[in-house]
Amino acid sequence: MTNSEFDSRLVQKFLTEYQDRGMLKWQGFYLSDHTSKLNQLHKHDHEVRQRQHSEQMAAKEIVEVIDEAVTKNLEVIIEPAIIDKDFLVTPFIQGKIAGYYQDNLVIGTHLIKFNEIYAIKIKKSKI
């Protein structure tokens, strides 16, 4: 196509009257992996905001549960007594107690101080 085939009035009219819709034209191009990631983030955010502590346990009760879990080789769920900067309950630590180090309880790769345990319970096994 050569320049002589263009109608200069039509080109001028297009350039002066056309209004670009900006970002609106891209809204229909969300891919399924984008929407699934957004849904996943929304679900995680909802779970974090719904997480709540159970009733705080006394030190004696915590020691009894730890003793039972160690002797019977059971998994536990520990609720740390830590609140993050947004005043949300931190994630619970779950797993078998591997031992202790100084004043820390070892669960998998996690170390948690005994005085930072808000509550602990034995994980119920699915049968």
Side-chain angles (χ1 to χ4, degrees):
M1 196 176 255
T2 63
N3 287 342
S4 62
E5 295 176 23
F6 289 109
D7 182 4
S8 63
R9 287 178 291 146
L10 182 64
V11 172
Q12 188 62 34
K13 183 179 178 182
F14 174 79
L15 292 174
T16 56
E17 294 179 10
Y18 175 74
Q19 290 188 355
D20 186 21
R21 296 185 310 146
M23 290 302 293
L24 287 174
K25 64 185 170 196
W26 299 103
Q27 287 181 347
F29 289 103
Y30 274 113
L31 299 174
S32 61
D33 54 336
H34 291 135
T35 55
S36 66
K37 185 65 175 177
L38 287 172
N39 290 338
Q40 182 183 10
L41 289 172
H42 177 70
K43 181 181 176 187
H44 173 71
D45 187 48
H46 179 72
E47 288 174 358
V48 167
R49 297 203 182 279
Q50 296 301 317
R51 189 182 306 133
Q52 294 181 352
H53 278 303
S54 56
E55 192 172 322
Q56 187 171 10
M57 295 175 72
K60 182 181 176 186
E61 295 172 317
I62 292 172
V63 170
E64 289 172 358
V65 173
I66 292 171
D67 185 43
E68 180 183 357
V70 170
T71 56
K72 294 181 180 178
N73 197 26
L74 300 171
E75 282 192 42
V76 294
I77 300 171
I78 294 180
E79 301 176 23
I82 303 168
I83 305 293
D84 69 4
K85 63 181 173 50
D86 297 322
F87 300 104
L88 298 172
V89 176
T90 56
F92 299 161
I93 300 171
Q94 182 174 318
K96 290 186 179 182
I97 298 173
Y100 65 93
Y101 175 73
Q102 296 175 350
D103 64 340
N104 296 301
L105 195 62
V106 180
I107 299 178
T109 59
H110 298 281
L111 286 175
I112 183 162
K113 294 184 182 299
F114 286 110
N115 62 354
E116 289 180 351
I117 298 175
Y118 188 84
I120 183 171
K121 58 186 170 186
I122 294 178
K123 183 179 177 188
K124 297 190 187 331
S125 62
K126 295 178 183 177
I127 297 177

